[in-house]
Amino acid sequence: MKSVLALVDFSDVTPRVIQHAEAFANAFGAEVVLCHVTPPEPVVVDYAPPVPLKQLEASGPQLEALRDALTLRGVYTRIHSDQGPVANCILEWSRVNQPEIIVMGSHGHGALYNLLVGSVTAGVVKGATSPVMVVPSILKSP
Amino acid sequence: MKNIVVLIDFSDLTFTVLKEVHKIANAFGSHVTLLHAISKQPVVVDIGVFSPTVMQTASPAQAEDESGKLVELCESLGKFGVSATARQIPPCTVEELLDEAQRLGADLIVVGCRGHGPLHQLLAGSLTGDILRHPPCPVVFVPHT
């Protein structure tokens, strides 16, 4: 079955990512795969606070809630959870499953974060074999 | 997604990009605008031992040639049932290109994305990176496959 991969990180951009993924799924007659990747805790560059255990446990029910909401609106939806380097996990999954399109948010991380950690969005866009839709996290006022 | 603006550069990727645009525009019944900025031409200037490369504004003949190709692309989209218009603008920066897309009422921008190496990105910069910094609306990047 054709699929639309929606990257979910429970940030302010997630509702718009879901909205676009749903529109594509309806238009292409595809299923939505909600993908959540938990990044590994930093080992060497330890400046970011580690992901609290509570947050990890909470992502399961939150994902299921999103899936149920989409299913209620008549979109066939699956969940894909993974842990590891975010961009690599996503690229790996899309190489195998060849989604019609990958929908993700652009993240307004600072220059320092991008330099040290690398931007997930840039990593996915540059490595993907499927089209990638980037939804801006902060909409520029016209 | 009623108004799709496609950034066209007449590279080998253009065909792949248009195929994707056709798919999206057909699915959503969108209007497509093909946006092209006339490219600058590298010219080698010979001054003694130095031969610096200077970017020169394209000749009118080249602009004409490119606008002809743009109209051709529009017509071929039209043959596949996609309503399309063409818009050609003078050479400009990425920001100006994105501003123009917004003026055209884009609610989706489609652009090709080539996987250049890190050295090319360091020296020449990357269009993808520039767009990613401040996307004015959702942007679809079509990979080289």
Side-chain angles (χ1 to χ4, degrees), chain B residues 21-68:
Chain B
V21 166
H22 167 240
K23 200 169 90 181
I24 299 173
N26 249 353
F28 291 99
S30 341
H31 178 79
V32 174
T33 308
L34 303 179
L35 179 60
H36 169 69
I38 299 165
S39 41
K40 286 192 170 182
Q41 297 300 306
V43 180
V44 178
V45 186
D46 203 5
I47 316 169
V49 284
F50 300 106
S51 302
T53 305
V54 175
M55 300 303 275
Q56 197 182 56
T57 314
S59 64
Q62 194 214 337
E64 191 110 320
D65 178 47
E66 285 181 342
S67 97

Side-chain angles (χ1 to χ4, degrees), chain A residues 42-57:
Chain A
V43 184
V44 185
V45 190
D46 198 344
Y47 76 97
V51 184
L53 201 60
K54 257 192 210 151
Q55 194 181 321
L56 279 183
E57 285 165 352

Side-chain angles (χ1 to χ4, degrees), chain A residues 20 23-24 27-28 100-101 106 121-122 125-126 128-136 139-140, chain B residues 1 20 23-24 27-28 99 102 108 113 121 126 128 132 135-141 143 145:
Chain A
H20 284 294
F24 274 116
F28 293 154
E100 293 296 299
I101 195 160
S106 83
T121 314
V125 166
K126 283 179 184 141
T129 50
S130 308
V132 182
M133 178 194 235
V134 177
V135 182
L139 280 175
K140 226 164 80 175
Chain B
M1 274 167 274
E20 192 58 35
K23 200 169 90 181
I24 299 173
F28 291 99
D99 283 347
Q102 267 188 305
L108 180 72
C113 169
Q121 273 174 32
S126 95
T128 309
L132 271 181
C137 65
V139 181
V140 171
F141 295 92
T145 38

Side-chain angles (χ1 to χ4, degrees), chain B residues 8-9 35-40 66 87-92 97:
Chain B
I8 299 283
D9 64 350
L35 179 60
H36 169 69
I38 299 165
S39 41
K40 286 192 170 182
E66 285 181 342
R87 173 109 178 84
Q88 195 180 32
I89 56 172
C92 65
L97 200 61

Side-chain angles (χ1 to χ4, degrees), chain A residues 2 6 30 36 46-47 51 64 68 80 88 92 97 113 140:
Chain A
K2 287 200 254 182
H36 178 74
D46 198 344
Y47 76 97
V51 184
E64 279 162 23
D68 295 345
H80 172 71
N88 287 5
E92 188 59 36
N97 294 282
Y113 181 94
K140 226 164 80 175

Side-chain angles (χ1 to χ4, degrees), chain B residues 8 10 34 36 66-74 86-87:
Chain B
I8 299 283
F10 301 116
L34 303 179
H36 169 69
E66 285 181 342
S67 97
K69 279 198 277 184
L70 204 59
V71 170
E72 254 174 55
L73 292 181
C74 252
R87 173 109 178 84

